[in-house]
């Protein structure tokens, strides 16, 4: 099989590329990464194809220089309002008429998954993932893998994720016209899960919140399977817009202020440093403070977390005992963890730092790289290497290489 995988994260604020190499012992090593400011994308949707194509090409070429490979294909992620999900159940007979129970074989598992997939999907949507949550043998026992079990009938509970055909077609065409083949499209939060969520967190029940620039995407994992996916059409750009309006500065200046002086938890501000607000149109600069900037940012970030909490309470009809994990560029905001703890009423909140996959650790072990790294790791885990990208070696290689959370949810279910 090919041993190079390229993950391409097309975000509202940044495009990120991560190149991973599958070693002989099936471990993944990150050998090249790059990040470029997004152009031609808004809320995860391509709005200017030419600009997006240039951004994609420049980002992948920079990652190629670090990795020493020229890649020909990639995998990417999709999220936002283009995504919908539903849980479904299928049932098939194992014992035929006049015969007793028998062992469940692979064909039976395929049949029951096909039965669970038999849902009405609109013509403008494409089935992206069908993920088994649980198998039930003879209405009595739950199995993760019922293969070989003697049974009369078999049921399967699955989580189905669909995406807009138009959105996928636009992404595919944009990547192909940039000079690369698109091998696979993965749900954004599912990719992030592969990068940052530990196995015990998946079993206990955890929530991954991807705080993007244009959208906030959420996935709830329980018993090692997704039970619901949610997208909220607000993100970090709305915080930037608030600063821009209140302080009367351009969005670009507001973004700089947010990055350099922003905080969303007032308790973290120990010294109230001055913040110089440039004057627009020849107006004199204004002197503000970190406290005042925080008072603009915190209400909007609190609103985003509150919207996520409402969606989880309404849709995830189960008790969770794991963690809330924050990823995406918004997770880099000082105070994001503390604010989430306050909104959700739990201390079981942490930043989603991608695992140690060797190579350029100091560059990719950040919450905003969770999706891109997860695309690489998830492609290997889900497809056993078959999703690896085409590549060829460059002639010159670059020299660089809980419990409180559970109690909170119990109040609602």
């Amino acid at each position: 099989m090919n041993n190079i995988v390229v993950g391409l994260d097309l975000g509202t604020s940044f495009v990120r590329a991560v190149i991973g190499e599958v070693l002989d012992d099936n471990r993944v090593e990150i050998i090249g990464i790059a990040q470029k400011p997004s152009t031609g994308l808004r809320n995860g949707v391509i709005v200017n194809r030419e600009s997006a194509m240039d951004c994609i090409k420049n980002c992948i070429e920079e990652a190629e220089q670090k990795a020493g490979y020229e890649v020909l294909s990639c995998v990417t992620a999709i999220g936002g309002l283009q995504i919908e999900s539903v849980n479904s159940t299928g049932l098939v007979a194992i014992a035929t008429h006049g015969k007793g129970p028998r062992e469940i074989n692979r064909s039976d598992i395929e049949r029951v998954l096909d039965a669970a997939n038999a849902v009405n999907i609109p013509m403008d949507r494409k089935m992206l993932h069908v993920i088994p949550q649980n198998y039930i043998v003879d209405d009595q026992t739950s199995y993760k893998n019922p293969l070989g079990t003697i049974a009369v009938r078999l049921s399967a509970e699955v989580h189905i994720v669909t995406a807009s055909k138009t959105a996928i077609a636009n992404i595919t065409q944009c990547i192909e016209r940039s000079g690369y083949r698109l091998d696979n499209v993965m749900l954004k939060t599912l990719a992030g899960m592969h990068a940052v969520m530990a196995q015990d967190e998946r079993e206990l029940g955890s929530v991954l919140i991807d705080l993007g620039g244009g959208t906030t995407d959420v996935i709830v994992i329980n018993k090692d399977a997704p039970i619901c996916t949610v997208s909220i059409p607000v993100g970090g750009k709305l915080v930037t817009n608030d600063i821009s309006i209140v302080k009367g500065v351009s969005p670009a200046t507001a973004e700089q202020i947010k990055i350099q002086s922003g905080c969303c938890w007032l308790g973290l501000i120990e010294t109230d440093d001055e913040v110089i607000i440039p004057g627009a149109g020849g107006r004199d600069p204004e002197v503000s403070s970190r406290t005042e900037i925080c008072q603009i940012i915190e209400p909007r970030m609190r609103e985003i977390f509150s919207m996520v909490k409402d969606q989880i309470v309404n849709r995830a009809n189960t008790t969770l005992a794991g963690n809330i994990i924050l990823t995406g560029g918004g997770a880099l905001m000082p105070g994001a963890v503390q604010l989430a703890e306050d909104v959700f009423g739990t201390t079981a909140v942490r930043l989603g730092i991608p695992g140690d996959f060797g190579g350029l650790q100091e560059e990719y072990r950040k919450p905003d790289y969770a999706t891109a790294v997860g695309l690489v790791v998830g492609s290997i885990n889900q497809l056993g290497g078959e999703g690896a990208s085409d590549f060829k070696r460059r002639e010159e290689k670059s020299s660089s290489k809980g419990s409180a959370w559970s109690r909170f949810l119990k109040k609602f279910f």
Side-chain angles (χ1 to χ4, degrees):
M1 69 178 182
N2 295 326
N3 63 344
I4 294 294
V5 181
V6 183
L8 182 67
D9 177 18
L10 303 174
T12 299
S13 301
F14 290 95
V15 170
R16 298 179 179 90
V18 169
I19 301 178
E21 182 176 13
V22 185
L23 305 179
D24 291 338
D25 57 0
N26 288 327
R27 289 187 301 110
V28 178
E29 181 177 3
I30 303 300
I31 59 174
I33 74 168
Q35 173 179 281
K36 295 290 183 183
S38 276
T39 55
L41 292 118
R42 185 181 303 139
N43 296 347
V45 178
I46 294 170
V47 294
N48 186 319
R49 185 174 299 165
E50 294 300 322
S51 295
M53 284 165 50
D54 289 342
C55 185
I56 290 168
K57 189 170 182 62
N58 292 336
C59 190
I60 293 181
E61 284 180 349
E62 183 177 322
E64 288 175 334
Q65 291 289 341
K66 294 181 180 179
Y69 292 99
E70 182 180 356
V71 302
L72 305 177
S73 63
C74 64
V75 295
T76 194
I78 189 170
L81 299 181
Q82 303 95 289
I83 294 297
E84 293 179 1
S85 65
V86 64
N87 293 321
S88 180
T89 303
L91 172 67
V92 296
I94 302 300
T96 55
H97 182 68
K99 296 184 179 180
R102 62 170 176 83
E103 287 188 1
I104 297 171
N105 56 38
R106 294 192 183 279
S107 175
D108 297 322
I109 295 176
E110 291 175 1
R111 285 194 300 121
V112 76
L113 290 178
D114 286 341
N117 294 350
V119 296
N120 185 23
I121 297 177
M123 293 292 292
D124 63 339
R125 305 199 65 78
K126 177 181 179 180
M127 196 173 289
L128 199 62
H129 300 291
V130 179
I131 307 170
Q133 297 170 322
N134 192 35
Y135 294 97
I136 302 171
V137 178
D138 292 343
D139 296 331
Q140 294 181 358
T141 309
S142 297
Y143 290 81
K144 280 298 179 182
N145 183 5
L147 187 66
T149 305
I150 296 176
V152 173
R153 57 187 176 274
L154 174 66
S155 300
E157 298 171 343
V158 301
H159 186 69
I160 299 173
V161 180
T162 66
S164 162
K165 284 184 177 180
T166 302
I168 292 178
N170 283 330
I171 290 171
T172 302
Q173 188 177 69
C174 192
I175 290 174
E176 288 179 347
R177 290 190 177 181
S178 301
Y180 306 97
R181 187 180 74 247
L182 180 59
D183 289 331
N184 189 28
V185 179
M186 187 182 299
L187 176 65
K188 182 181 181 71
T189 46
L190 191 63
M193 180 205 74
H194 287 291
V196 305
M197 195 177 288
Q199 184 63 39
D200 58 346
E201 290 177 315
R202 300 186 204 182
E203 292 290 347
L204 289 169
S206 297
V207 180
L208 186 147
I209 304 173
D210 185 278
L211 297 161
T215 61
T216 298
D217 295 296
V218 183
I219 189 168
V220 181
I221 306 290
N222 191 36
K223 297 179 181 177
D224 200 23
I227 58 175
C228 83
T229 52
V230 176
S231 183
I232 298 168
V234 292
K237 291 290 186 184
L238 203 56
V239 176
T240 300
N241 189 57
D242 289 346
I243 298 172
S244 175
I245 292 172
V246 173
K247 290 300 179 183
V249 295
S250 68
T253 301
E255 182 72 14
Q256 263 189 337
I257 293 170
K258 183 181 76 173
I259 293 172
Q260 294 173 1
S261 306
C263 179
C264 61
W265 186 246
L266 200 57
L268 284 184
I269 300 178
E270 297 178 356
T271 58
D272 200 10
D273 299 330
E274 288 186 351
V275 179
I276 304 300
I277 309 296
R283 192 174 66 233
D284 290 337
E286 173 189 344
V287 178
S288 185
S289 65
R290 286 198 73 199
T291 296
E292 191 173 349
I293 300 301
C294 181
Q295 288 170 343
I296 298 171
I297 294 173
E298 183 177 335
R300 184 64 74 184
M301 292 293 289
R302 182 177 292 276
E303 179 188 27
I304 292 172
F305 282 129
S306 296
M307 292 170 72
V308 171
K309 173 183 168 183
D310 290 343
Q311 289 288 334
I312 293 172
V313 169
N314 290 334
R315 298 185 61 178
N317 189 23
T318 188
T319 299
L320 307 176
N323 291 325
I324 299 171
I325 304 166
L326 308 182
T327 64
L332 298 173
M333 173 81 70
V337 170
Q338 290 83 352
L339 181 59
E341 289 176 345
D342 186 62
V343 171
F344 286 93
T346 175
T347 57
V349 181
R350 69 175 182 86
L351 290 180
I353 307 296
D356 182 359
F357 300 104
L360 309 165
Q361 297 179 34
E362 70 283 356
E363 297 186 48
Y364 70 79
R365 297 202 70 196
K366 302 172 185 176
D368 49 339
Y369 271 94
T371 297
V373 173
L375 284 168
V376 173
V377 179
S379 294
I380 301 302
N381 290 350
Q382 290 188 347
L383 303 173
E386 295 176 9
S389 308
D390 283 345
F391 72 98
K392 54 186 177 183
R393 187 179 295 273
R394 284 184 176 270
E395 293 181 2
E396 295 183 3
K397 184 170 181 177
S398 171
S399 59
S400 62
K401 288 272 194 192
S403 61
W405 170 233
S406 176
R407 289 196 298 273
F408 159 71
L409 285 179
K410 281 179 181 176
K411 293 189 295 183
F412 296 94
F413 301 125

